[in-house]
Amino acid sequence: QVQLVESGGGLVQPGGSLRLSCAASGSTSSINSMAWYRQAPGKQRGLVARIHRSGSTYYTDSVKGRFAISRDNAKNTVYLQMSSLKPEDTAVYYCNAAGLNAYWGQGTQVTVSS
């Protein structure tokens, strides 16, 4: 089992920045990749960014050049640095860990509004 705890969400003005954190505990050696998803009201949950154990990354087109995913292996923590935030980035952001199984965090709200 893997437990994921997210933090760092909040209210930010358009153009601002936030950093989300996701700390993993438990059977972390089984994790092959970690990712951030988001779900806006009335929409499906979608992939935002992923970082593989190898260090390779993936970003959905709408966040390329604005968001950066990174990890601290010593702390079993993955980060999502979000910059130039837009109102359409408003959503609940979920951390995901994938390996033999998939695990989800509880979600953290990000609201971009003036």
Side-chain angles (χ1 to χ4, degrees):
Q1 291 288 332
V2 174
Q3 294 78 41
L4 303 172
V5 178
E6 300 125 332
S7 60
L11 173 65
V12 63
Q13 292 186 341
S17 298
L18 278 177
R19 188 178 80 157
L20 306 183
S21 300
C22 174
S25 61
S27 302
T28 56
S29 61
S30 69
I31 298 173
N32 288 326
S33 64
M34 294 188 72
W36 289 96
Y37 286 72
R38 65 186 179 187
Q39 186 169 19
K43 296 188 177 181
Q44 289 187 332
R45 189 177 300 187
L47 177 64
V48 176
R50 174 183 286 122
I51 185 164
H52 191 265
R53 177 185 294 273
S54 65
S56 63
T57 57
Y58 166 86
Y59 298 93
T60 193
D61 286 346
S62 62
V63 308
K64 285 180 181 177
R66 300 189 299 122
F67 290 12
I69 190 169
S70 62
R71 65 185 185 186
D72 184 331
N73 290 332
K75 297 181 179 180
N76 288 318
T77 299
V78 65
Y79 304 97
L80 185 68
Q81 178 67 48
M82 305 185 293
S83 303
S84 302
L85 282 161
K86 305 175 181 179
E88 51 264 42
D89 294 317
T90 295
V92 179
Y93 284 70
Y94 295 92
C95 181
N96 167 272
L100 293 177
N101 297 293
Y103 302 92
W104 294 92
Q106 80 282 1
T108 185
Q109 176 71 46
V110 172
T111 302
V112 184
S113 175
S114 55

